Amino acid sequence: MLTFFSEGSRQRQARSELHDGALVTPFERPERMDLVLAALSKAAFEVRSPSDYGLAPVLAVHDADYVAFLENCWQAWQAAGHAGEAIPNIWPARTMRGDRIPQSVSGQLGYYALAAETSITEGTFAAAMASKDTALAATDHTLATGEPTFGLCRPPGHHAAVDQFGGYCFFNNAAIAAQRALDAGKRRVAILDVDFHHGNGTQQIFYRRDDVLFASLHGDPDVTFPYFSGYTDETGEGVGEGFTINYPLPPGTSVATWMAALDEALAHIHRAECELLVVSLGVDIFEGDPISAFTFQHVDFIALGQRLAAAGLPCVFLMEGGYAVEDIGVNVVNVLQGFEEVTQGVK
C-alpha cells in the first residue's frame, strides 16, 4: 500500500504537556513516526513525500480567523514576553461571554483551545500544514487510482473542530480529506474513526450535513477524554440527522465486543451508499497504550484491516493516535497488511 509522509511534520517539537497535574514530555512526539516508518520499511511499503497544497483545502473546513490564529500564535506569544510554550489557562466557560475574541494572545488561546494539554510551539503551524498535505496526497492518489493509501499524518487531526484545537490536533486531516473527495465529485463519504478517543472535531464539522457519514468507536466519554462528546444520542442535526453514529464503549471492552460494533458501523456505511471510506486510524486501542483502556493485541489489528477491506470501498487510512511507542509501528502495519490480504486475495 502506497504511503505518504512529510518530513515537515517533524517541525513541531513540543516539550510540554499537562498530564495528571504535571508538565510532562508530550505523548505525541516525532519519535512515533520514526517507529511507524521503520515498520513500514521492514514490510517493504513505498513511502512518498506529498506536494504542497497550500491553505485552500484547510479553509474549506476550518474558520479563517482560527487558521490565522494558529499561523501567528507562536510569534504573538513570544512577542508578549512569555517564557514557556503557549498553553491556555482560561476559557469562555458557561458563566462567561463566548461571543468575543480577546486581543491578547492568552485570551485567544482560551477561545480557540478545547483543552489544556496541547501546547503551541515553534513549528506547530508548519507541521500541521505538512500533515494535511500528507492526507491530501493520500486522498488524491486513491481518487485517481481506486487504490488504498495510508497517510502517516503528524500531528493527528480528529479533535480539531471548525475553530478549535486540542488533543494534539490542529487541522482536521480526515475532514479535509473528505471534503477533497466531495469536491472531486464523490456524492457521499464515510469517515470511520477507530481511535480510542472520540473524534469530536470531525463530528462537529459534519454534524449538520448528509454528504459525510461519521461513525466513531471510542472510550465512553463518561470516563474518557474528551468527555463532552461521543454519546449515543449525538446523531446529527437537520439534514445531518442519522449521519453521525457513536459507539461509546467502557474501559476494558473486549475485542469481540469492539468488532461487533465495527460491523454495525460498516453496515450503516453500506446502507448510506458511501463512495469512499476515510479511516481515522488510531492504534491506541492497543492493550499496552499508556493513555487508553481497550484490549487489542497485535494480531487483532490484522483482523481490523481485514474487516475494513471487506467493506469493499476505496479506502484512505490517516494516522491519528497511538502512544505505546514501542508497538505503534507493528500495529499500524498489521492493519494495512490485513487490509491488503483481502484486497489482493492473499490466503
Side-chain angles (χ1 to χ4, degrees), residues 6-18:
S6 173
E7 289 291 332
S9 70
R10 300 184 189 278
Q11 294 180 72
R12 174 172 164 79
Q13 299 276 348
R15 303 184 307 274
S16 306
E17 175 180 336
L18 184 61

Side-chain angles (χ1 to χ4, degrees), residues 27-64:
F27 290 99
E28 200 295 295
R29 52 188 184 269
E31 291 81 359
R32 297 170 61 239
M33 303 299 96
D34 291 329
L35 289 157
V36 176
L37 287 168
L40 291 167
S41 176
K42 184 177 180 180
F45 280 71
E46 180 185 354
V47 179
R48 294 182 187 173
S49 297
S51 301
D52 181 353
Y53 285 81
L55 271 177
V58 177
L59 295 172
V61 299
H62 287 291
D63 174 73

Side-chain angles (χ1 to χ4, degrees), residues 236-257:
E237 292 181 357
V239 297
E241 175 62 42
F243 288 91
T244 292
I245 308 162
N246 285 302
Y247 298 90
L249 300 166
T253 290
S254 69
V255 173
T257 298

Side-chain angles (χ1 to χ4, degrees), residues 63-266:
D63 174 73
D65 289 339
Y66 166 69
V67 174
F69 161 77
L70 288 179
E71 185 173 13
N72 298 310
C73 176
W74 179 243
Q75 290 78 11
W77 183 257
Q78 288 186 305
H82 300 299
E85 296 180 325
I87 300 175
N89 64 357
I90 189 167
W91 288 262
R94 288 188 301 275
T95 57
M96 304 172 75
R97 292 187 64 170
D99 63 335
R100 297 189 60 137
I101 304 175
Q103 293 184 10
S104 165
V105 67
S106 296
Q108 290 171 5
L109 273 167
Y111 183 84
Y112 287 118
L114 63 87
E117 83 297 300
T118 301
S119 61
I120 291 181
T121 67
E122 183 178 9
T124 292
F125 182 79
M129 290 288 284
S131 188
K132 60 84 183 169
D133 286 340
T134 294
L136 288 165
T139 303
D140 278 358
H141 184 83
T142 296
L143 291 173
T145 66
E147 299 171 355
T149 51
F150 173 48
L152 182 51
C153 297
R154 192 267 168 180
H158 71 151
H159 293 305
V162 167
D163 62 353
Q164 283 190 301
F165 73 94
Y168 314 133
C169 303
F170 304 95
F171 294 152
N172 194 306
N173 300 311
I176 291 169
Q179 188 62 52
R180 181 77 168 187
L182 294 170
D183 293 342
K186 296 297 184 185
R187 187 182 67 87
R188 179 171 292 137
V189 175
I191 299 178
L192 176 63
D193 193 325
V194 300
D195 190 280
F196 176 74
H197 304 93
H198 180 244
N200 60 285
T202 313
Q203 173 173 297
Q204 185 260 346
I205 289 168
F206 296 113
Y207 203 61
R208 296 170 179 85
R209 292 171 54 171
D210 63 358
D211 53 358
V212 174
L213 185 149
F214 173 68
S216 178
L217 288 71
H218 51 269
D220 187 342
D222 268 340
V223 293
T224 302
F225 181 93
Y227 301 109
F228 301 104
S229 71
Y231 295 90
T232 56
D233 62 352
E234 297 162 24
T235 58
E237 292 181 357
V239 297
E241 175 62 42
F243 288 91
T244 292
I245 308 162
N246 285 302
Y247 298 90
L249 300 166
T253 290
S254 69
V255 173
T257 298
W258 192 97
M259 289 291 188
L262 174 65
D263 289 342
E264 186 175 329
L266 291 173

